[in-house]
Short mmCIF file of all heavy atoms in Angstrom, two decimals:
data_model
loop_
_atom_site.label_atom_id
_atom_site.label_comp_id
_atom_site.label_asym_id
_atom_site.label_seq_id
_atom_site.Cartn_x
_atom_site.Cartn_y
_atom_site.Cartn_z
N SER A 1 -14.70 0.96 -23.35
CA SER A 1 -14.22 1.59 -22.14
C SER A 1 -13.94 0.56 -21.07
O SER A 1 -14.59 -0.46 -20.99
CB SER A 1 -15.25 2.56 -21.59
OG SER A 1 -15.46 3.63 -22.47
N ASP A 2 -12.99 0.87 -20.25
CA ASP A 2 -12.63 0.08 -19.08
C ASP A 2 -13.20 0.82 -17.87
O ASP A 2 -13.10 2.03 -17.79
CB ASP A 2 -11.11 0.00 -19.01
CG ASP A 2 -10.60 -0.59 -17.71
OD1 ASP A 2 -11.23 -1.52 -17.20
OD2 ASP A 2 -9.57 -0.11 -17.22
N VAL A 3 -13.81 0.11 -16.95
CA VAL A 3 -14.41 0.73 -15.76
C VAL A 3 -13.63 0.28 -14.54
O VAL A 3 -13.32 -0.90 -14.39
CB VAL A 3 -15.89 0.31 -15.62
CG1 VAL A 3 -16.48 0.84 -14.33
CG2 VAL A 3 -16.69 0.78 -16.82
N CYS A 4 -13.30 1.24 -13.65
CA CYS A 4 -12.68 0.90 -12.38
C CYS A 4 -13.06 1.94 -11.33
O CYS A 4 -13.64 2.96 -11.66
CB CYS A 4 -11.16 0.77 -12.49
SG CYS A 4 -10.22 2.30 -12.50
N SER A 5 -12.72 1.67 -10.08
CA SER A 5 -13.03 2.59 -8.98
C SER A 5 -12.06 3.76 -8.98
O SER A 5 -10.96 3.69 -9.53
CB SER A 5 -12.96 1.86 -7.64
OG SER A 5 -11.62 1.54 -7.33
N SER A 6 -12.46 4.85 -8.34
CA SER A 6 -11.58 6.01 -8.23
C SER A 6 -10.34 5.67 -7.41
O SER A 6 -9.27 6.21 -7.66
CB SER A 6 -12.32 7.21 -7.64
OG SER A 6 -12.87 6.88 -6.39
N ASP A 7 -10.45 4.76 -6.43
CA ASP A 7 -9.28 4.35 -5.65
C ASP A 7 -8.24 3.66 -6.52
O ASP A 7 -7.05 3.92 -6.42
CB ASP A 7 -9.68 3.43 -4.50
CG ASP A 7 -10.41 4.16 -3.39
OD1 ASP A 7 -10.35 5.41 -3.34
OD2 ASP A 7 -11.06 3.48 -2.57
N LEU A 8 -8.68 2.75 -7.38
CA LEU A 8 -7.75 2.07 -8.27
C LEU A 8 -7.14 3.05 -9.26
O LEU A 8 -5.95 3.01 -9.53
CB LEU A 8 -8.43 0.91 -9.01
CG LEU A 8 -7.55 0.11 -9.97
CD1 LEU A 8 -6.30 -0.44 -9.28
CD2 LEU A 8 -8.33 -1.01 -10.62
N ALA A 9 -7.95 3.95 -9.80
CA ALA A 9 -7.43 4.96 -10.74
C ALA A 9 -6.36 5.80 -10.06
O ALA A 9 -5.32 6.08 -10.66
CB ALA A 9 -8.56 5.84 -11.25
N ALA A 10 -6.60 6.21 -8.81
CA ALA A 10 -5.60 7.00 -8.08
C ALA A 10 -4.32 6.20 -7.89
O ALA A 10 -3.21 6.73 -8.04
CB ALA A 10 -6.17 7.44 -6.73
N ALA A 11 -4.44 4.92 -7.58
CA ALA A 11 -3.26 4.07 -7.40
C ALA A 11 -2.48 3.92 -8.70
O ALA A 11 -1.25 3.80 -8.68
CB ALA A 11 -3.67 2.69 -6.87
N LEU A 12 -3.18 3.96 -9.83
CA LEU A 12 -2.54 3.86 -11.14
C LEU A 12 -2.01 5.21 -11.62
O LEU A 12 -1.27 5.28 -12.60
CB LEU A 12 -3.53 3.33 -12.18
CG LEU A 12 -4.02 1.90 -12.01
CD1 LEU A 12 -5.16 1.61 -12.98
CD2 LEU A 12 -2.88 0.91 -12.21
N GLY A 13 -2.44 6.28 -10.95
CA GLY A 13 -2.01 7.62 -11.35
C GLY A 13 -2.73 8.12 -12.60
O GLY A 13 -2.15 8.88 -13.38
N VAL A 14 -3.97 7.68 -12.80
CA VAL A 14 -4.74 8.10 -13.97
C VAL A 14 -6.07 8.70 -13.53
O VAL A 14 -6.51 8.52 -12.40
CB VAL A 14 -5.00 6.92 -14.95
CG1 VAL A 14 -3.69 6.41 -15.52
CG2 VAL A 14 -5.77 5.80 -14.27
N SER A 15 -6.71 9.41 -14.44
CA SER A 15 -7.99 10.04 -14.14
C SER A 15 -9.04 9.57 -15.14
O SER A 15 -8.74 8.85 -16.09
CB SER A 15 -7.86 11.56 -14.19
OG SER A 15 -7.41 11.96 -15.47
N ASP A 16 -10.28 9.98 -14.90
CA ASP A 16 -11.39 9.63 -15.76
C ASP A 16 -11.07 9.99 -17.22
O ASP A 16 -10.55 11.06 -17.50
CB ASP A 16 -12.65 10.38 -15.28
CG ASP A 16 -13.91 9.83 -15.87
OD1 ASP A 16 -14.02 8.60 -16.03
OD2 ASP A 16 -14.83 10.63 -16.15
N ARG A 17 -11.37 9.09 -18.11
CA ARG A 17 -11.17 9.23 -19.57
C ARG A 17 -9.72 9.09 -20.02
O ARG A 17 -9.43 9.23 -21.21
CB ARG A 17 -11.76 10.54 -20.11
CG ARG A 17 -13.22 10.72 -19.80
CD ARG A 17 -14.06 9.70 -20.51
NE ARG A 17 -15.46 9.85 -20.11
CZ ARG A 17 -16.40 8.97 -20.37
NH1 ARG A 17 -16.11 7.88 -21.02
NH2 ARG A 17 -17.63 9.16 -19.96
N ALA A 18 -8.81 8.82 -19.08
CA ALA A 18 -7.42 8.55 -19.47
C ALA A 18 -7.38 7.19 -20.17
O ALA A 18 -8.27 6.36 -20.03
CB ALA A 18 -6.52 8.53 -18.24
N THR A 19 -6.34 6.96 -20.93
CA THR A 19 -6.14 5.66 -21.57
C THR A 19 -5.39 4.76 -20.61
O THR A 19 -4.41 5.17 -19.99
CB THR A 19 -5.33 5.81 -22.87
OG1 THR A 19 -6.06 6.65 -23.76
CG2 THR A 19 -5.08 4.47 -23.53
N VAL A 20 -5.87 3.52 -20.47
CA VAL A 20 -5.18 2.52 -19.67
C VAL A 20 -4.89 1.31 -20.54
O VAL A 20 -5.52 1.11 -21.58
CB VAL A 20 -5.99 2.10 -18.42
CG1 VAL A 20 -6.14 3.26 -17.45
CG2 VAL A 20 -7.34 1.54 -18.79
N VAL A 21 -3.92 0.52 -20.11
CA VAL A 21 -3.56 -0.70 -20.82
C VAL A 21 -3.93 -1.88 -19.93
O VAL A 21 -3.53 -1.94 -18.77
CB VAL A 21 -2.05 -0.74 -21.13
CG1 VAL A 21 -1.68 -2.05 -21.80
CG2 VAL A 21 -1.65 0.45 -22.00
N ILE A 22 -4.74 -2.78 -20.47
CA ILE A 22 -5.06 -4.03 -19.80
C ILE A 22 -4.24 -5.10 -20.50
O ILE A 22 -4.26 -5.21 -21.73
CB ILE A 22 -6.56 -4.36 -19.91
CG1 ILE A 22 -7.39 -3.24 -19.30
CG2 ILE A 22 -6.86 -5.70 -19.24
CD1 ILE A 22 -8.89 -3.43 -19.50
N SER A 23 -3.50 -5.91 -19.71
CA SER A 23 -2.63 -6.89 -20.36
C SER A 23 -2.57 -8.20 -19.59
O SER A 23 -2.88 -8.27 -18.40
CB SER A 23 -1.22 -6.31 -20.50
OG SER A 23 -0.66 -6.02 -19.23
N THR A 24 -2.16 -9.23 -20.33
CA THR A 24 -1.85 -10.55 -19.80
C THR A 24 -0.57 -10.99 -20.50
O THR A 24 -0.03 -10.25 -21.34
CB THR A 24 -2.97 -11.58 -20.10
OG1 THR A 24 -3.06 -11.75 -21.53
CG2 THR A 24 -4.31 -11.14 -19.55
N ASP A 25 -0.10 -12.19 -20.22
CA ASP A 25 1.07 -12.70 -20.92
C ASP A 25 0.81 -12.89 -22.41
O ASP A 25 1.73 -12.91 -23.21
CB ASP A 25 1.53 -14.01 -20.31
CG ASP A 25 2.11 -13.83 -18.91
OD1 ASP A 25 2.49 -12.68 -18.56
OD2 ASP A 25 2.18 -14.82 -18.16
N LYS A 26 -0.47 -13.00 -22.79
CA LYS A 26 -0.83 -13.21 -24.21
C LYS A 26 -0.82 -11.93 -25.03
O LYS A 26 -0.50 -11.95 -26.21
CB LYS A 26 -2.20 -13.87 -24.30
CG LYS A 26 -2.62 -14.19 -25.72
CD LYS A 26 -3.92 -14.93 -25.79
CE LYS A 26 -4.27 -15.18 -27.27
NZ LYS A 26 -5.53 -15.87 -27.41
N GLY A 27 -1.19 -10.79 -24.43
CA GLY A 27 -1.27 -9.55 -25.20
C GLY A 27 -1.81 -8.41 -24.37
O GLY A 27 -1.92 -8.51 -23.15
N SER A 28 -2.15 -7.32 -25.06
CA SER A 28 -2.66 -6.14 -24.35
C SER A 28 -3.64 -5.37 -25.23
O SER A 28 -3.64 -5.51 -26.45
CB SER A 28 -1.51 -5.22 -23.94
OG SER A 28 -0.86 -4.69 -25.07
N VAL A 29 -4.48 -4.56 -24.56
CA VAL A 29 -5.40 -3.65 -25.24
C VAL A 29 -5.36 -2.32 -24.51
O VAL A 29 -5.15 -2.27 -23.30
CB VAL A 29 -6.85 -4.19 -25.29
CG1 VAL A 29 -6.94 -5.44 -26.13
CG2 VAL A 29 -7.41 -4.42 -23.91
N GLU A 30 -5.53 -1.24 -25.26
CA GLU A 30 -5.64 0.10 -24.67
C GLU A 30 -7.09 0.54 -24.77
O GLU A 30 -7.71 0.43 -25.83
CB GLU A 30 -4.76 1.11 -25.42
CG GLU A 30 -3.30 0.95 -25.14
CD GLU A 30 -2.47 2.12 -25.66
OE1 GLU A 30 -3.05 3.18 -25.99
OE2 GLU A 30 -1.25 1.96 -25.73
N LEU A 31 -7.62 1.03 -23.64
CA LEU A 31 -9.01 1.47 -23.59
C LEU A 31 -9.12 2.75 -22.78
O LEU A 31 -8.32 2.97 -21.87
CB LEU A 31 -9.88 0.40 -22.91
CG LEU A 31 -10.01 -0.94 -23.61
CD1 LEU A 31 -10.69 -1.95 -22.68
CD2 LEU A 31 -10.82 -0.79 -24.89
N PRO A 32 -10.12 3.58 -23.07
CA PRO A 32 -10.37 4.75 -22.23
C PRO A 32 -10.96 4.29 -20.89
O PRO A 32 -11.73 3.34 -20.84
CB PRO A 32 -11.36 5.58 -23.03
CG PRO A 32 -12.04 4.61 -23.93
CD PRO A 32 -11.04 3.52 -24.21
N LEU A 33 -10.59 4.97 -19.83
CA LEU A 33 -11.04 4.63 -18.48
C LEU A 33 -12.28 5.42 -18.10
O LEU A 33 -12.36 6.62 -18.37
CB LEU A 33 -9.93 4.94 -17.48
CG LEU A 33 -10.25 4.72 -16.02
CD1 LEU A 33 -10.40 3.23 -15.75
CD2 LEU A 33 -9.16 5.31 -15.14
N VAL A 34 -13.23 4.76 -17.48
CA VAL A 34 -14.41 5.42 -16.93
C VAL A 34 -14.47 5.07 -15.45
O VAL A 34 -14.44 3.89 -15.08
CB VAL A 34 -15.70 4.94 -17.63
CG1 VAL A 34 -16.93 5.54 -16.96
CG2 VAL A 34 -15.67 5.27 -19.11
N LEU A 35 -14.51 6.09 -14.60
CA LEU A 35 -14.60 5.85 -13.16
C LEU A 35 -16.04 5.54 -12.80
O LEU A 35 -16.97 6.19 -13.27
CB LEU A 35 -14.12 7.08 -12.39
CG LEU A 35 -12.67 7.48 -12.63
CD1 LEU A 35 -12.32 8.69 -11.77
CD2 LEU A 35 -11.72 6.34 -12.37
N HIS A 36 -16.21 4.54 -11.95
CA HIS A 36 -17.54 4.12 -11.54
C HIS A 36 -17.41 3.39 -10.21
O HIS A 36 -16.32 3.00 -9.82
CB HIS A 36 -18.14 3.20 -12.59
CG HIS A 36 -19.63 3.08 -12.53
ND1 HIS A 36 -20.41 3.51 -11.49
CD2 HIS A 36 -20.51 2.55 -13.41
CE1 HIS A 36 -21.67 3.26 -11.73
NE2 HIS A 36 -21.77 2.67 -12.90
N GLU A 37 -18.52 3.20 -9.56
CA GLU A 37 -18.50 2.48 -8.29
C GLU A 37 -18.47 0.98 -8.54
O GLU A 37 -19.48 0.35 -8.82
CB GLU A 37 -19.73 2.85 -7.46
CG GLU A 37 -19.71 4.29 -6.99
CD GLU A 37 -20.90 4.63 -6.11
OE1 GLU A 37 -21.42 3.73 -5.42
OE2 GLU A 37 -21.30 5.79 -6.13
N VAL A 38 -17.28 0.42 -8.49
CA VAL A 38 -17.06 -1.02 -8.57
C VAL A 38 -16.12 -1.39 -7.43
O VAL A 38 -15.51 -0.53 -6.82
CB VAL A 38 -16.46 -1.45 -9.94
CG1 VAL A 38 -17.43 -1.18 -11.07
CG2 VAL A 38 -15.13 -0.77 -10.20
N ALA A 39 -16.00 -2.66 -7.15
CA ALA A 39 -15.12 -3.11 -6.06
C ALA A 39 -13.68 -2.67 -6.32
O ALA A 39 -13.22 -2.66 -7.47
CB ALA A 39 -15.19 -4.63 -5.95
N ASP A 40 -12.99 -2.25 -5.26
CA ASP A 40 -11.59 -1.87 -5.39
C ASP A 40 -10.78 -3.03 -5.97
O ASP A 40 -11.11 -4.20 -5.77
CB ASP A 40 -11.01 -1.47 -4.03
CG ASP A 40 -11.54 -0.12 -3.56
OD1 ASP A 40 -11.99 0.67 -4.40
OD2 ASP A 40 -11.52 0.13 -2.35
N ASP A 41 -9.73 -2.69 -6.69
CA ASP A 41 -8.86 -3.68 -7.34
C ASP A 41 -9.59 -4.52 -8.37
O ASP A 41 -9.21 -5.65 -8.64
CB ASP A 41 -8.16 -4.56 -6.31
CG ASP A 41 -7.23 -3.78 -5.41
OD1 ASP A 41 -6.65 -2.79 -5.89
OD2 ASP A 41 -7.09 -4.14 -4.23
N THR A 42 -10.67 -3.96 -8.92
CA THR A 42 -11.46 -4.64 -9.94
C THR A 42 -11.58 -3.75 -11.16
O THR A 42 -11.75 -2.55 -11.03
CB THR A 42 -12.88 -4.96 -9.42
OG1 THR A 42 -12.77 -5.78 -8.27
CG2 THR A 42 -13.72 -5.65 -10.46
N VAL A 43 -11.47 -4.34 -12.33
CA VAL A 43 -11.74 -3.62 -13.57
C VAL A 43 -12.81 -4.39 -14.34
O VAL A 43 -12.94 -5.61 -14.20
CB VAL A 43 -10.49 -3.44 -14.46
CG1 VAL A 43 -9.46 -2.58 -13.77
CG2 VAL A 43 -9.90 -4.77 -14.87
N TRP A 44 -13.60 -3.66 -15.11
CA TRP A 44 -14.58 -4.27 -15.99
C TRP A 44 -14.36 -3.69 -17.37
O TRP A 44 -14.16 -2.48 -17.53
CB TRP A 44 -16.01 -3.95 -15.54
CG TRP A 44 -17.02 -4.50 -16.50
CD1 TRP A 44 -17.58 -5.74 -16.47
CD2 TRP A 44 -17.53 -3.85 -17.67
NE1 TRP A 44 -18.42 -5.90 -17.55
CE2 TRP A 44 -18.40 -4.75 -18.30
CE3 TRP A 44 -17.33 -2.60 -18.24
CZ2 TRP A 44 -19.08 -4.44 -19.47
CZ3 TRP A 44 -18.00 -2.30 -19.41
CH2 TRP A 44 -18.87 -3.21 -20.01
N ALA A 45 -14.36 -4.53 -18.36
CA ALA A 45 -14.24 -4.09 -19.74
C ALA A 45 -15.13 -4.99 -20.59
O ALA A 45 -15.29 -6.18 -20.27
CB ALA A 45 -12.80 -4.16 -20.21
N PRO A 46 -15.70 -4.44 -21.67
CA PRO A 46 -16.54 -5.28 -22.53
C PRO A 46 -15.71 -6.37 -23.18
O PRO A 46 -14.58 -6.12 -23.63
CB PRO A 46 -17.08 -4.29 -23.56
CG PRO A 46 -16.12 -3.15 -23.55
CD PRO A 46 -15.57 -3.09 -22.16
N ALA A 47 -16.25 -7.56 -23.21
CA ALA A 47 -15.50 -8.69 -23.77
C ALA A 47 -15.25 -8.55 -25.26
O ALA A 47 -14.23 -8.99 -25.77
CB ALA A 47 -16.26 -9.99 -23.49
N ASN A 48 -16.17 -7.89 -25.95
CA ASN A 48 -16.04 -7.79 -27.40
C ASN A 48 -16.77 -6.54 -27.86
O ASN A 48 -17.98 -6.51 -27.91
CB ASN A 48 -16.62 -9.03 -28.08
CG ASN A 48 -16.28 -9.11 -29.54
OD1 ASN A 48 -15.36 -8.43 -30.01
ND2 ASN A 48 -16.99 -9.92 -30.27
N SER A 49 -16.03 -5.49 -28.15
CA SER A 49 -16.62 -4.26 -28.67
C SER A 49 -15.72 -3.70 -29.75
O SER A 49 -14.62 -4.20 -29.96
CB SER A 49 -16.81 -3.24 -27.54
OG SER A 49 -15.56 -2.87 -27.01
N GLU A 50 -16.18 -2.66 -30.43
CA GLU A 50 -15.39 -2.08 -31.51
C GLU A 50 -13.99 -1.73 -31.03
O GLU A 50 -13.81 -1.00 -30.06
CB GLU A 50 -16.09 -0.83 -32.04
CG GLU A 50 -15.41 -0.24 -33.24
CD GLU A 50 -16.16 0.94 -33.81
OE1 GLU A 50 -17.38 1.06 -33.58
OE2 GLU A 50 -15.52 1.75 -34.50
N GLY A 51 -13.00 -2.29 -31.68
CA GLY A 51 -11.61 -2.01 -31.35
C GLY A 51 -11.08 -2.80 -30.16
O GLY A 51 -9.95 -2.59 -29.74
N SER A 52 -11.87 -3.73 -29.64
CA SER A 52 -11.45 -4.47 -28.44
C SER A 52 -12.02 -5.88 -28.47
O SER A 52 -13.22 -6.06 -28.58
CB SER A 52 -11.94 -3.71 -27.21
OG SER A 52 -12.06 -4.55 -26.11
N ASP A 53 -11.15 -6.86 -28.37
CA ASP A 53 -11.54 -8.27 -28.27
C ASP A 53 -10.73 -8.87 -27.14
O ASP A 53 -9.66 -9.41 -27.36
CB ASP A 53 -11.30 -8.98 -29.59
CG ASP A 53 -11.51 -10.48 -29.51
OD1 ASP A 53 -12.10 -10.96 -28.53
OD2 ASP A 53 -11.07 -11.18 -30.44
N LEU A 54 -11.22 -8.72 -25.91
CA LEU A 54 -10.44 -9.14 -24.76
C LEU A 54 -10.12 -10.63 -24.77
O LEU A 54 -8.99 -11.01 -24.48
CB LEU A 54 -11.14 -8.77 -23.45
CG LEU A 54 -10.81 -7.36 -23.02
CD1 LEU A 54 -11.74 -6.36 -23.64
CD2 LEU A 54 -10.83 -7.26 -21.54
N LEU A 55 -11.07 -11.46 -25.11
CA LEU A 55 -10.81 -12.89 -25.13
C LEU A 55 -9.74 -13.23 -26.16
O LEU A 55 -8.78 -13.94 -25.87
CB LEU A 55 -12.09 -13.68 -25.39
CG LEU A 55 -11.95 -15.20 -25.32
CD1 LEU A 55 -11.40 -15.64 -23.96
CD2 LEU A 55 -13.27 -15.88 -25.60
N GLY A 56 -9.88 -12.68 -27.36
CA GLY A 56 -8.90 -12.96 -28.41
C GLY A 56 -7.54 -12.33 -28.15
O GLY A 56 -6.50 -12.95 -28.36
N SER A 57 -7.54 -11.09 -27.68
CA SER A 57 -6.28 -10.36 -27.48
C SER A 57 -5.57 -10.75 -26.20
O SER A 57 -4.34 -10.79 -26.16
CB SER A 57 -6.54 -8.85 -27.44
OG SER A 57 -7.08 -8.40 -28.64
N LEU A 58 -6.35 -11.00 -25.14
CA LEU A 58 -5.76 -11.26 -23.83
C LEU A 58 -5.88 -12.70 -23.38
O LEU A 58 -5.17 -13.12 -22.47
CB LEU A 58 -6.42 -10.37 -22.76
CG LEU A 58 -6.43 -8.88 -23.01
CD1 LEU A 58 -7.15 -8.17 -21.87
CD2 LEU A 58 -5.02 -8.35 -23.17
N GLY A 59 -6.82 -13.44 -23.96
CA GLY A 59 -7.11 -14.76 -23.45
C GLY A 59 -7.76 -14.68 -22.08
O GLY A 59 -7.66 -15.61 -21.28
N ALA A 60 -8.40 -13.54 -21.77
CA ALA A 60 -8.98 -13.31 -20.45
C ALA A 60 -10.49 -13.20 -20.55
O ALA A 60 -11.02 -12.64 -21.50
CB ALA A 60 -8.41 -12.04 -19.85
N GLY A 61 -11.15 -13.74 -19.56
CA GLY A 61 -12.59 -13.65 -19.49
C GLY A 61 -13.01 -13.23 -18.09
O GLY A 61 -12.18 -12.82 -17.27
N HIS A 62 -14.27 -13.38 -17.79
CA HIS A 62 -14.84 -12.99 -16.50
C HIS A 62 -14.07 -13.63 -15.34
O HIS A 62 -13.86 -14.83 -15.31
CB HIS A 62 -16.31 -13.42 -16.45
CG HIS A 62 -16.96 -13.13 -15.14
ND1 HIS A 62 -17.35 -11.87 -14.79
CD2 HIS A 62 -17.25 -13.93 -14.10
CE1 HIS A 62 -17.88 -11.91 -13.58
NE2 HIS A 62 -17.84 -13.15 -13.14
N GLY A 63 -13.62 -12.79 -14.42
CA GLY A 63 -12.95 -13.27 -13.22
C GLY A 63 -11.47 -13.55 -13.37
O GLY A 63 -10.80 -13.89 -12.38
N ASP A 64 -10.91 -13.41 -14.57
CA ASP A 64 -9.48 -13.66 -14.76
C ASP A 64 -8.65 -12.49 -14.26
O ASP A 64 -9.08 -11.34 -14.26
CB ASP A 64 -9.16 -13.90 -16.24
CG ASP A 64 -9.68 -15.23 -16.73
OD1 ASP A 64 -9.93 -16.13 -15.90
OD2 ASP A 64 -9.86 -15.37 -17.96
N VAL A 65 -7.43 -12.79 -13.84
CA VAL A 65 -6.51 -11.77 -13.35
C VAL A 65 -5.79 -11.14 -14.54
O VAL A 65 -5.28 -11.84 -15.41
CB VAL A 65 -5.49 -12.37 -12.37
CG1 VAL A 65 -4.46 -11.33 -11.94
CG2 VAL A 65 -6.21 -12.94 -11.15
N VAL A 66 -5.78 -9.80 -14.57
CA VAL A 66 -5.09 -9.04 -15.62
C VAL A 66 -4.24 -7.96 -14.96
O VAL A 66 -4.40 -7.67 -13.79
CB VAL A 66 -6.08 -8.37 -16.61
CG1 VAL A 66 -6.89 -9.44 -17.35
CG2 VAL A 66 -7.01 -7.41 -15.89
N ARG A 67 -3.34 -7.37 -15.73
CA ARG A 67 -2.56 -6.22 -15.27
C ARG A 67 -3.16 -4.97 -15.87
O ARG A 67 -3.59 -4.98 -17.03
CB ARG A 67 -1.09 -6.35 -15.71
CG ARG A 67 -0.35 -7.49 -15.02
CD ARG A 67 1.10 -7.57 -15.49
NE ARG A 67 1.24 -7.84 -16.92
CZ ARG A 67 1.22 -9.06 -17.46
NH1 ARG A 67 1.01 -10.13 -16.70
NH2 ARG A 67 1.38 -9.22 -18.76
N VAL A 68 -3.18 -3.88 -15.10
CA VAL A 68 -3.69 -2.61 -15.59
C VAL A 68 -2.64 -1.55 -15.30
O VAL A 68 -2.16 -1.44 -14.18
CB VAL A 68 -5.02 -2.21 -14.92
CG1 VAL A 68 -5.53 -0.90 -15.49
CG2 VAL A 68 -6.06 -3.31 -15.08
N THR A 69 -2.28 -0.79 -16.34
CA THR A 69 -1.32 0.29 -16.18
C THR A 69 -1.84 1.53 -16.91
O THR A 69 -2.68 1.42 -17.79
CB THR A 69 0.07 -0.09 -16.76
OG1 THR A 69 -0.10 -0.46 -18.13
CG2 THR A 69 0.69 -1.24 -16.00
N GLY A 70 -1.32 2.68 -16.53
CA GLY A 70 -1.64 3.90 -17.26
C GLY A 70 -1.08 3.81 -18.65
O GLY A 70 0.02 3.31 -18.85
N GLY A 71 -1.85 4.24 -19.63
CA GLY A 71 -1.39 4.18 -21.01
C GLY A 71 -0.92 5.52 -21.49
O GLY A 71 -0.60 6.40 -20.70
N ALA A 72 -0.88 5.67 -22.80
CA ALA A 72 -0.50 6.94 -23.41
C ALA A 72 -1.56 7.99 -23.11
O ALA A 72 -2.74 7.67 -23.00
CB ALA A 72 -0.34 6.77 -24.91
N SER A 73 -1.18 9.23 -22.98
CA SER A 73 -2.15 10.30 -22.70
C SER A 73 -2.86 10.72 -23.95
O SER A 73 -2.33 10.73 -24.99
CB SER A 73 -1.44 11.52 -22.13
OG SER A 73 -0.56 11.17 -21.11
#
């Protein structure tokens, strides 16, 4: 799951449990969204979980800038 604030989710036009796409120039991953109290304009996702390898897929780690968009419903 990807975690973000309700303000960021509203800006993306998505709701809790919607699918979002996290991407960089290297690649992208689709994850379900979980709304939680985190800093605005911030997303958190597990670095390595079933079906998701952010470092390998995105080349992104803690503190790196990524793009987040609404995914398929």
